[in-house]
């Protein structure tokens, strides 16, 4: 590792610490906690999705199925079975992981666009099940899910206390994902992304790696959906609709596929846009989101963070070239 | 008379409905197959183009008083021209990239198109009357056959077979197929490949538009009619195998019928039966029923 990249790593660490400090202070800086919590939920969703697209190279077009079904499961257990919030979250993540296992088993039989279309189709199946099943409340969804008491003792009714729980879960998951990506397992995933035939010829059981990545991503996406239910107090069909799958793709693409902070950034931009624009332009929001999508694909495929990294890289190389000349 | 305890009339009625739906699946998955074949792009905007076809017909009647028969020609033409514009403006920049970018771009386009129409016309449907010439129904003795539905099935079969003939049996089709294999080589023989690609997307879009016009008198014309259909059509494509044109037609019709029959025997499952079949097919034939193993 060169001196430059160590410096960059240190910079990055400092940036993250500053961001964390900011996040810890956010409720006292006048930011509305529910908004930040919603943002963190979607940021986790996007990070989970990015684990699959950015680091394994699999475009799932059905991640709403995991997000949404976990939202329902958590809502149902907390509301109807009086489970504590942490058990509700766990149930949601486990349920999403199990569904992910089933979907993954089918979907990894094909690659690329077929993979995308198959995940989309199966997710639509999950949508119809949620529409018709009795415990989801059909068109109305699950309303009025109580926040309850964490571990049965700590009440979460106040936004501030729930905020720190959500932040803790998010940070833990973010670290977990970066741990996965930097582990030997993560290196194999990257190899599959870069050159699948080579991974196969080196003797790796590629399907098993892909499946595990899929299940991990599904569980984390589920956890994000479960947290969303806890924060907002409801789970509805829009959580499990395919447009949600599209939204998480946009968040990841906009922020930067395959970067760590990109999905967080992307979800921040999308959620902020939706919140800001919803009162002013009504349903033109969809159109604006569509336009951003088109622009992203046409003009900056690396996303905000990705383009920033590329820019810094270029500047560094230019500086290096200049110093060599003198 | 009854079949498995279901009155024959109801049974045949659902079968007919399934066949009509199948005709739409076939036309749409055919367009997708043609576009994918030459451009390597999974056209997520296909549903939106279908919706545009239906709206074009409705607007032509509502604003300009043009009847169904004009719309049947003009609406697909309009959608086809829009397709050409989309190809020139957006898609041509993506051919060298991973096909996933094409999927994402057309997804964005679909959001824009649907969003605009939803904003202007709302989500409630617009009625489009069956043209006089095709109104009414025939009594076949065992069922009443609405003439318009029969017309839809017949015309879509003609269009599908015509497209198949054009691609598999004519010189133009040979160029198209050669272009999908090796574009630079075909170009070297003096064929204008970019032009061909552009017109192919236009033709695929026009097919979707035509399906939209045909659907307008049967269903309520509304901005979301395409987005609900496109996912089923994707499943049809996966089941049939993307490469095969005949495969997409047969699979489309077949699945429409299966869906219709499910509605008779177990209505709760009719929405998901296509996806269930997709999963089963994928277990045994990952390349689809008519697809070649890659």
């Amino acid at each position: 590792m060169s001196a430059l990249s160590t410096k960059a790593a240190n910079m990055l660490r400092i940036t993250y610490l500053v961001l964390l400090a900011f996040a810890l202070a956010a409720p006292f800086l006048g930011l509305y906690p529910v908004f930040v919590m919603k943002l963190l939920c979607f940021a986790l969703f996007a990070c989970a999705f990015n684990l699959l697209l950015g680091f394994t190279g699999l475009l799932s077009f059905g991640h709403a199925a995991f997000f949404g079904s976990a939202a329902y499961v958590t809502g149902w257990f907390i509301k109807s079975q009086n489970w504590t919030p942490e058990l509700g979250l766990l149930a949601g993540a486990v349920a999403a992981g199990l569904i992910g296992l089933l979907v993954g088993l089918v979907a990894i039989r094909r690659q690329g666009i077929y993979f995308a279309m198959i995940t989309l189709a199966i997710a639509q199946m999950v949508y119809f099940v949620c529409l018709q099943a009795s415990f989801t409340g059909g068109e109305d969804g699950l309303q009025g899910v109580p926040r309850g008491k964490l571990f049965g003792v700590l009440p979460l009714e106040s936004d501030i206390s729930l905020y720190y729980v959500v932040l803790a879960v998010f940070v833990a998951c973010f670290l977990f994902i970066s741990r996965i990506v930097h582990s030997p397992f993560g290196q194999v995933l990257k190899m599959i992304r870069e050159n699948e035939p080579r991974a196969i010829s080196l003797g790796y059981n590629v399907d098993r790696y892909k499946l595990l990545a899929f299940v991990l991503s599904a569980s984390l996406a589920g956890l994000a959906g479960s947290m969303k239910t806890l924060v907002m107090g409801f789970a509805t069909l829009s959580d499990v609709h395919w447009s949600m799958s599209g939204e998480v793709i946009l968040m990841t693409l906009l922020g930067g596929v395959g970067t760590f902070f990109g999905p967080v950034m992307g979800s921040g931009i999308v959620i902020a846009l939706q919140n800001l624009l919803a009162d002013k332009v009504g349903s033109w929001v969809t159109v604006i989101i569509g336009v951003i999508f088109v622009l992203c694909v046409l003009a900056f495929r690396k996303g905000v963070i990705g383009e920033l990294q590329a820019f810094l890289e270029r500047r560094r190389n230019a500086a290096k070239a200049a110093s060599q000349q003198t | 008379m009854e079949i498995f305890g279901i009155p024959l009339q109801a049974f045949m009625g659902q079968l007919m409905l399934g066949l009509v739906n199948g005709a739409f699946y076939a036309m749409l998955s055919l367009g997708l197959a043609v576009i994918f074949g030459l451009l390597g792009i999974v056209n997520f905007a296909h549903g939106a183009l279908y919706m545009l076809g239906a709206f074009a017909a409705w607007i032509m009647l509502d604003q300009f008083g043009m009847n169904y028969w004009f719309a049947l020609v003009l609406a697909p033409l309009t959608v086809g021209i829009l397709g050409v514009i989309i190809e020139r403006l957006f898609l041509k920049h993506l051919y060298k990239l991973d096909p996933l970018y094409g999927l994402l771009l057309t997804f964005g386009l679909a959001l824009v198109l649907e969003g605009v129409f939803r904003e202007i016309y709302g989500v409630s449907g617009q009625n489009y009357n069956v043209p006089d010439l095709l109104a009414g129904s025939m009594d076949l003795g065992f069922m009443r056959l609405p003439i318009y539905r029969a017309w839809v099935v017949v015309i879509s079969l003609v269009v599908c077979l015509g497209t198949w003939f054009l691609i598999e049996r004519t010189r133009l089709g040979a160029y198209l197929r050669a272009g999908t294999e090796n574009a630079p080589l075909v170009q070297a023989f003096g064929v204008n490949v970019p032009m061909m690609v552009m017109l192919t997307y236009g033709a695929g879009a026009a097919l979707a538009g035509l399906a939209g016009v045909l659907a307008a008198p049967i269903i309520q014309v509304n901005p979301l009619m395409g987005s609900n259909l496109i996912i089923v059509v994707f499943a049809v494509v996966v089941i049939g195998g993307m490469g095969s044109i005949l495969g997409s037609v047969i699979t489309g019709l077949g699945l429409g019928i299966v869906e219709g029959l499910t509605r008779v025997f177990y209505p709760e499952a009719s929405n998901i039966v296509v996806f269930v079949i997709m999963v089963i097919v994928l277990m045994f034939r990952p390349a689809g029923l008519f697809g070649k193993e890659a």
Side-chain angles (χ1 to χ4, degrees):
Chain A
M1 205 181 243
S2 71
L4 269 173
S5 57
T6 328
K7 204 173 122 197
N10 280 334
M11 282 267 292
L12 197 65
R13 210 162 288 146
I14 292 166
T15 317
Y16 278 141
L17 285 175
V18 170
L19 280 170
L20 181 64
F22 179 71
L24 283 169
F28 305 104
L29 298 174
L31 278 169
Y32 182 46
V34 175
F35 171 73
V36 188
M37 282 193 275
K38 189 178 166 194
L39 204 154
L40 285 172
C41 292
F42 280 95
L44 175 58
F45 186 23
C47 287
F49 174 79
N50 188 40
L51 177 63
L52 204 56
L53 176 63
F55 298 112
T56 322
L58 294 172
L59 173 61
S60 157
F61 221 119
H63 255 49
F66 312 125
F67 183 83
S69 50
Y72 277 122
V73 167
T74 301
W76 185 77
F77 272 119
I78 294 180
K79 192 181 170 189
S80 305
Q81 306 298 306
N82 296 318
W83 282 25
T84 50
E86 75 285 352
L87 286 179
L89 292 182
L90 191 66
V94 169
L98 288 175
I99 299 173
L101 180 65
L102 296 178
V103 177
L105 276 172
V106 177
I108 56 168
R109 291 168 162 259
R110 301 302 309 270
Q111 296 168 351
I113 44 160
Y114 287 95
F115 182 86
M117 292 199 289
I118 291 163
T119 44
L120 177 60
I122 300 179
Q124 188 71 354
M125 200 155 94
V126 174
Y127 172 82
F128 278 118
V129 171
C130 289
L131 181 65
Q132 284 166 352
S134 56
F135 82 97
T136 57
E139 301 270 354
D140 301 330
L142 288 175
Q143 309 283 347
V145 177
R147 289 178 179 176
K149 290 179 178 160
L150 192 68
F151 303 114
V153 272
L154 187 72
L156 295 179
E157 287 313 320
S158 97
D159 286 343
I160 300 285
S161 58
L162 184 62
Y163 175 78
Y164 286 106
V165 172
V166 171
L167 183 64
V169 173
F170 173 78
V171 171
C173 289
F174 189 81
L175 293 175
F176 178 56
I177 290 173
S178 83
R179 194 66 226 117
I180 294 174
V181 172
H182 288 129
S183 70
F185 169 71
Q187 297 304 315
V188 178
L189 294 185
K190 273 188 210 163
M191 172 165 65
I192 294 172
R193 180 189 70 186
E194 297 303 328
N195 193 338
E196 191 171 335
R198 176 175 291 171
I200 295 170
S201 69
L202 283 172
Y204 287 101
N205 187 342
V206 166
D207 281 357
R208 212 161 62 206
Y209 279 92
K210 280 192 194 169
L211 187 61
L212 186 51
F214 197 85
V215 172
L216 280 169
S217 172
S219 314
L220 289 167
L223 186 56
S226 300
M227 275 208 308
K228 196 233 74 180
T229 300
L230 200 59
V231 170
M232 313 299 281
F234 57 79
T236 61
L237 282 174
S238 68
D239 296 334
V240 73
H241 193 253
W242 61 264
S243 54
M244 185 64 89
S245 303
E247 224 162 81
V248 76
I249 296 175
L250 176 66
M251 290 170 181
T252 311
L253 195 67
L254 180 60
V257 175
T259 63
F260 276 101
F261 199 66
V264 182
M265 181 86 162
S267 52
I269 297 174
V270 172
I271 298 290
L273 265 181
Q274 283 175 341
N275 265 38
L276 284 176
L277 295 177
D279 339 328
K280 297 194 185 76
V281 295
S283 49
W284 284 110
V285 174
T286 329
V287 180
I288 293 168
I289 296 230
V291 170
I292 298 176
F293 227 114
V294 171
L295 288 178
C296 261
V297 175
L298 281 181
F300 63 123
R301 280 181 284 275
K302 291 196 190 92
V304 176
I305 298 288
E307 297 287 350
L308 190 70
Q309 276 176 357
F311 170 74
L312 291 175
E313 187 88 357
R314 273 199 303 275
R315 218 182 55 174
R316 212 177 297 149
N317 287 343
K320 212 193 268 173
S323 69
Q324 272 164 3
Q325 268 177 357
T326 50
Chain B
M1 212 180 130
E2 292 186 351
I3 293 181
F4 305 123
I6 309 282
L8 184 65
Q9 287 277 345
F11 182 82
M12 295 308 287
Q14 289 298 338
L15 198 65
M16 189 64 207
L17 206 64
L19 203 58
V20 170
N21 278 337
F24 291 127
Y25 297 160
M27 281 179 81
L28 291 173
S29 62
L30 174 67
L32 277 177
V34 171
I35 290 173
F36 179 73
L38 197 61
L39 285 71
I41 279 178
V42 180
N43 190 29
F44 211 115
H46 220 63
L49 294 170
Y50 159 82
M51 179 271 291
L52 278 181
F55 260 103
W58 178 77
I59 291 169
M60 281 170 189
L61 182 71
D62 192 61
Q63 303 284 317
F64 307 105
M66 276 192 270
N67 68 24
Y68 178 79
W69 304 101
F70 280 106
L72 202 56
V73 179
L74 284 182
L77 207 62
T78 316
V79 178
I81 291 170
L82 182 76
V84 166
I85 296 171
I86 289 174
E87 198 277 337
R88 281 294 94 176
L89 278 182
F90 305 112
L91 299 178
K92 75 167 183 184
H93 304 292
L94 300 177
Y95 296 138
K96 292 192 185 75
L97 300 170
D98 192 318
L100 291 173
Y101 285 112
L103 178 76
L104 295 178
L105 183 113
T106 47
F107 173 70
L109 282 178
L111 284 185
V112 173
L113 289 173
E114 278 170 11
V116 168
F117 274 78
R118 197 166 62 189
E119 190 59 35
I120 300 175
Y121 296 101
V123 281
S124 59
Q126 316 286 350
N127 273 321
Y128 191 96
N129 288 333
V130 175
D132 295 338
L133 196 62
L134 300 173
S137 59
M138 279 185 293
D139 197 349
L140 297 181
F142 58 91
M143 70 175 291
R144 292 198 71 81
L145 175 66
I147 294 173
Y148 188 77
R149 300 206 162 169
W151 153 258
V152 167
V153 173
V154 170
I155 196 166
S156 70
L157 277 179
V158 169
V159 169
C160 287
L161 289 177
T163 313
W164 172 80
F165 183 82
L166 186 75
I167 290 174
E168 299 288 340
R169 291 286 181 272
T170 65
R171 180 165 288 261
L172 177 67
Y175 286 149
L176 282 173
R177 279 176 290 134
T180 62
E181 293 293 328
N182 190 337
L185 188 70
V186 178
Q187 181 110 28
F189 278 113
V191 179
N192 188 344
V193 172
M195 169 80 96
M196 208 164 74
V197 165
M198 180 181 90
L199 292 179
T200 303
Y201 190 79
L207 261 179
L210 179 62
V213 183
L214 289 174
I218 299 183
I219 58 170
Q220 298 256 310
V221 177
N222 80 79
L224 299 177
M225 62 190 263
S227 63
N228 297 326
L229 192 61
I230 186 75
I231 300 174
V232 180
V233 174
F234 276 179
V236 169
V237 164
V238 172
I239 296 168
M242 195 93 164
S244 165
I245 289 181
L246 211 54
S248 59
V249 176
I250 296 170
T251 316
L253 283 172
L255 286 172
I257 293 171
V258 170
E259 205 182 45
L261 292 183
T262 314
R263 206 169 291 123
V264 178
F265 295 112
Y266 189 53
E268 291 82 4
S270 64
N271 279 328
I272 61 169
V273 67
V274 173
F275 305 120
V276 173
I277 292 176
M278 183 193 79
V279 169
I280 295 171
V281 168
L282 278 170
M283 305 256 208
F284 297 103
R285 282 189 63 97
L289 292 178
F290 296 86
K292 285 168 271 204
E293 284 286 350

